[in-house]
C-alpha cells in the first residue's frame, strides 16, 4: 500500500473539512453581526436569521457529503459488489478496472488489485480442472471401449479356447489398468486437497522397498533384467503408504522402460542426515526438452507404453515427495537410460 498517498489523502480530507467549518463559522458570525446591526432590540429576528443560516449550511453540507459518498465510496463499492457477483457465478475471466480516483480511499484500489489476482488464480484453476477432466475422460474412454469390444467378441460361440483366453487376459489387464487409473486419480485428489499432515511414524524403509521389488519379480524375470540392489538398514520417520507409492512408481517405470536383458540398479542409503533412494535403469531415456514435463499429470513421452500406464505415476510421486518435504532429481540420456534420485531428511524416533 502507498503509505505516502494514504497520509496525503487523510491530511487533505482533514484540511478541507476544517476549511469548510471555518467558512461556516465565519459566515455565521458575519450574519449575526449584520442582523444585530440591522434589527437592534429584536432578538427573535436575529435568532431566526442565524437558524436559517445554520439550516442552509447543514443542508448544503449534507448534500455535499451525499455527493462525495456517491462518487468516492458508493460507486467503487457497487463495482466491487458487481464483480464479486460475477465471481460467485463462475465468471473468472472478468477483471475489475483499476480506475485511479484520488478522492477515494486507497483501500479500494488495494481491494480491486487483490480481487483481480484472486480471479486470475481461479481462472487458472478452472482451466486446470477442465483440462484434468478432459484428460481423465480421454484416459477412461479407451479402456472402456476395449472392455466393451472384447466382451462382445467373447459372445461369439465359434471362438476357439486359445483366443478366448487371450481376450480374457486382455480384459483383465485393461480392468487392472483402469482400476489403477482411478486409484491414482483419487490419491492425487487427496494429496492436492488434504490439509492434514501425513500419518508420520517410524518405518523400516528397507523392508518396504524389498517388498515392493518382489511385486515386479515376475516382470523382471520375464524381461531377463539384471537387478542389482544395494539396500541399507534404514529406519526413520515417514509415512509408509507414501513410501510405497514412491518406490512402486519409480520401480515400475524402470522395469517398463528397460530393454530385455538390461540392467537396473536400486539403492537405499543413509547419507549424513538424509535418506537417499536411487534407481538407475538402462531404458529408452528421456529427451532433454521433455524432462521438465515428466511430473505433469497424464504426460507420457513414450506413447508406445501408454497402454501400460496412465501418466499419473510421476505426478503422484512429486506430490508425495512435496508432502514429505523431500527432493527429486532426474538425469536421463536417450538410448542410455534414466536415473531418479529421491532425497528425504533423516528423522529418527523422538525427533
Amino acid at each position: 500500500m502507498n503509505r505516502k498517498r494514504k497520509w496525503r489523502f487523510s491530511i487533505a480530507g482533514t484540511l478541507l473539512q476544517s476549511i469548510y467549518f471555518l467558512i461556516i463559522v465565519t459566515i455565521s458570525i458575519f450574519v449575526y453581526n449584520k442582523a444585530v446591526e440591522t434589527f437592534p432590540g429584536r432578538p427573535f429576528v436575529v435568532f431566526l436569521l442565524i437558524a436559517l443560516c445554520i439550516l442552509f449550511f447543514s443542508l448544503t453540507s449534507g448534500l455535499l457529503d451525499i455527493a462525495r459518498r456517491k462518487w468516492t465510496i458508493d460507486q467503487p463499492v457497487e463495482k466491487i459488489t458487481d464483480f464479486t457477483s460475477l465471481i460467485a457465478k463462475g465468471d473468472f475471466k472478468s477483471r475489475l478496472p483499476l480506475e485511479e480516483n484520488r478522492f477515494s480511499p486507497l483501500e479500494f484500489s488495494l481491494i480491486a488489485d487483490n480481487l483481480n489476482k484472486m480471479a486470475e488464480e481461479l481462472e487458472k484453476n478452472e482451466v486446470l480442472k477442465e483440462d484434468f477432466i478432459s484428460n481423465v475422460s480421454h484416459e477412461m474412454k479407451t479402456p472402456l471401449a476395449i472392455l466393451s469390444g472384447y466382451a462382445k467378441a467373447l459372445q461369439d460361440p465359434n471362438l476357439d479356447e486359445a483366443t478366448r483366453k487371450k481376450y480374457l487376459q486382455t480384459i483383465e489387464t485393461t480392468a487392472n489398468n483402469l482400476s489403477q487409473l482411478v486409484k491414482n486419480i483419487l490419491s492425487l485428489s487427496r494429496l492436492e486437497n488434504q490439509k492434514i499432515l501425513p500419518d508420520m511414524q517410524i518405518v523400516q524403509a528397507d523392508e518396504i522397498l524389498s517388498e515392493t521389488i518382489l511385486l515386479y519379480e515376475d516382470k523382471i524375470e520375464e524381461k531377463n533384467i539384471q537387478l542389482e540392489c544395494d539396500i541399507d538398514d534404514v529406519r526413520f520417520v515417514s509415512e509408509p503408504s507414501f513410501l510405497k507409492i514412491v518406490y512402486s512408481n519409480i520401480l515400475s517405470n524402470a522395469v517398463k522402460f528397460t530393454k530385455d536383458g538390461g540392467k537396473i540398479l536400486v539403492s537405499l542409503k543413509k547419507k549424513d542426515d538424509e535418506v537417499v533412494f536411487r534407481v538407475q535403469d538402462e531404458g529408452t531415456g528421456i529427451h532433454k526438452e521433455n524432462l521438465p514435463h515428466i511430473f505433469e499429470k497424464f504426460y507420457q513421452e513414450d506413447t508406445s507404453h501408454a497402454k501400460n500406464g496412465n501418466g499419473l505415476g510421476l505426478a503422484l510421486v512429486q506430490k508425495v515427495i512435496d508432502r514429505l518435504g523431500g527432493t527429486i532429481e532426474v538425469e536421463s540420456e536417450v538410448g542410455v537410460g534414466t536415473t531418479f534420485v529421491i532425497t528425504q531428511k533423516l528423522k529418527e524416533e523422538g525427533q
Side-chain angles (χ1 to χ4, degrees):
M1 182 182 290
N2 190 330
R3 294 183 178 273
K4 289 184 178 179
R5 183 188 157 190
K6 184 178 180 180
W7 276 106
R8 285 200 300 267
F9 179 82
S10 300
I11 292 171
T14 303
L15 285 175
L16 286 174
Q17 191 176 36
S18 300
I19 291 170
Y20 182 73
F21 280 114
L22 181 62
I23 292 172
I24 292 175
V25 172
T26 303
I27 294 176
S28 297
I29 293 173
F30 176 78
V31 170
Y32 174 77
N33 290 333
K34 278 294 183 181
V36 170
E37 290 177 7
T38 307
F39 305 100
R42 301 174 67 180
F44 177 76
V45 176
V46 174
F47 172 77
L48 184 61
L49 288 173
I50 292 298
L52 290 172
C53 181
I54 294 174
L55 179 62
F56 171 76
F57 280 115
S58 296
L59 291 173
T60 305
S61 175
L63 291 172
L64 287 174
D65 188 59
I66 290 172
R68 179 190 66 81
R69 286 184 58 84
K70 181 70 176 175
W71 184 35
T72 62
I73 296 178
D74 291 349
Q75 286 185 0
V77 168
E78 185 177 349
K79 288 181 179 179
I80 290 172
T81 302
D82 292 341
F83 179 71
T84 53
S85 295
L86 291 175
I87 294 294
K89 293 175 182 177
D91 181 3
F92 305 132
K93 295 184 180 295
S94 298
R95 297 291 182 270
L96 186 60
L98 295 172
E99 297 175 358
E100 190 75 14
N101 186 341
R102 292 187 174 276
F103 297 98
S104 291
L106 182 62
E107 284 78 8
F108 284 130
S109 296
L110 181 63
I111 291 171
D113 186 43
N114 287 337
L115 284 174
N116 283 336
K117 289 178 181 177
M118 178 188 72
E120 185 177 349
E121 290 303 314
L122 287 171
E123 184 182 8
K124 290 178 182 177
N125 288 336
E126 186 68 15
V127 170
L128 287 173
K129 184 181 76 174
E130 291 175 357
D131 184 56
F132 182 72
I133 292 173
S134 175
N135 282 323
V136 169
S137 300
H138 174 74
E139 292 293 330
M140 285 188 168
K141 187 184 297 182
T142 301
L144 288 173
I146 292 172
L147 290 173
S148 177
Y150 280 95
K152 289 179 180 178
L154 285 171
Q155 296 176 17
D156 184 356
N158 299 320
L159 205 63
D160 61 85
E161 190 61 27
T163 304
R164 188 181 299 276
K165 287 182 179 180
K166 181 180 177 182
Y167 286 0
L168 287 171
Q169 180 62 46
T170 301
I171 289 175
E172 182 182 4
T173 302
T174 304
N176 288 336
N177 288 340
L178 187 57
S179 175
Q180 187 62 42
L181 171 63
V182 173
K183 181 179 178 181
N184 284 343
I185 290 172
L186 291 174
S187 297
L188 269 173
S189 178
R190 281 195 295 268
L191 286 170
E192 290 174 337
N193 298 294
Q194 191 179 46
K195 301 302 180 184
I196 60 175
L197 294 173
D199 181 20
M200 306 295 279
Q201 56 186 275
I202 297 295
V203 296
Q204 197 70 41
D206 53 297
E207 292 183 2
I208 294 176
L209 177 56
S210 298
E211 290 170 2
T212 305
I213 291 173
L214 288 175
L215 296 176
Y216 299 96
E217 187 176 25
D218 291 343
K219 194 66 178 178
I220 289 171
E221 291 181 358
E222 180 185 326
K223 296 182 71 173
N224 195 29
I225 294 173
Q226 182 183 347
L227 179 66
E228 295 184 7
C229 298
D230 185 7
I231 302 174
D232 287 349
D233 181 354
V234 179
R235 178 183 172 88
F236 73 117
V237 176
S238 189
E239 215 287 359
S241 65
F242 280 10
L243 288 184
K244 290 176 184 177
I245 289 173
V246 173
Y247 296 161
S248 177
N249 280 287
I250 298 299
L251 285 169
S252 173
N253 281 340
V255 173
K256 183 194 305 181
F257 293 107
T258 296
K259 56 192 175 184
D260 290 0
K263 182 190 294 184
I264 296 176
L265 306 177
V266 179
S267 70
L268 182 68
K269 312 289 288 184
K270 283 184 179 180
K271 186 177 180 182
D272 299 327
D273 61 342
E274 295 177 331
V275 177
V276 182
F277 170 57
R278 186 174 184 272
V279 176
Q280 179 180 351
D281 66 52
E282 294 182 350
T284 55
I286 304 168
H287 289 85
K288 186 177 180 180
E289 62 272 18
N290 293 331
L291 277 174
H293 303 290
I294 63 174
F295 295 105
E296 295 175 4
K297 299 171 187 174
F298 299 107
Y299 180 81
Q300 296 187 74
E301 183 189 42
D302 185 357
T303 55
S304 65
H305 289 83
K307 64 180 180 179
N308 299 321
N310 47 58
L312 288 176
L314 290 179
L316 192 54
V317 168
Q318 179 72 71
K319 289 292 181 184
V320 166
I321 294 302
D322 288 344
R323 292 297 299 273
L324 293 176
T327 61
I328 305 177
E329 296 178 6
V330 186
E331 293 181 2
S332 189
E333 185 177 346
V334 175
V336 177
T338 303
T339 301
F340 282 88
V341 179
I342 295 176
T343 305
Q344 294 176 256
K345 286 292 182 182
L346 177 61
K347 294 182 180 180
E348 298 179 338
E349 193 169 7
Q351 288 186 298

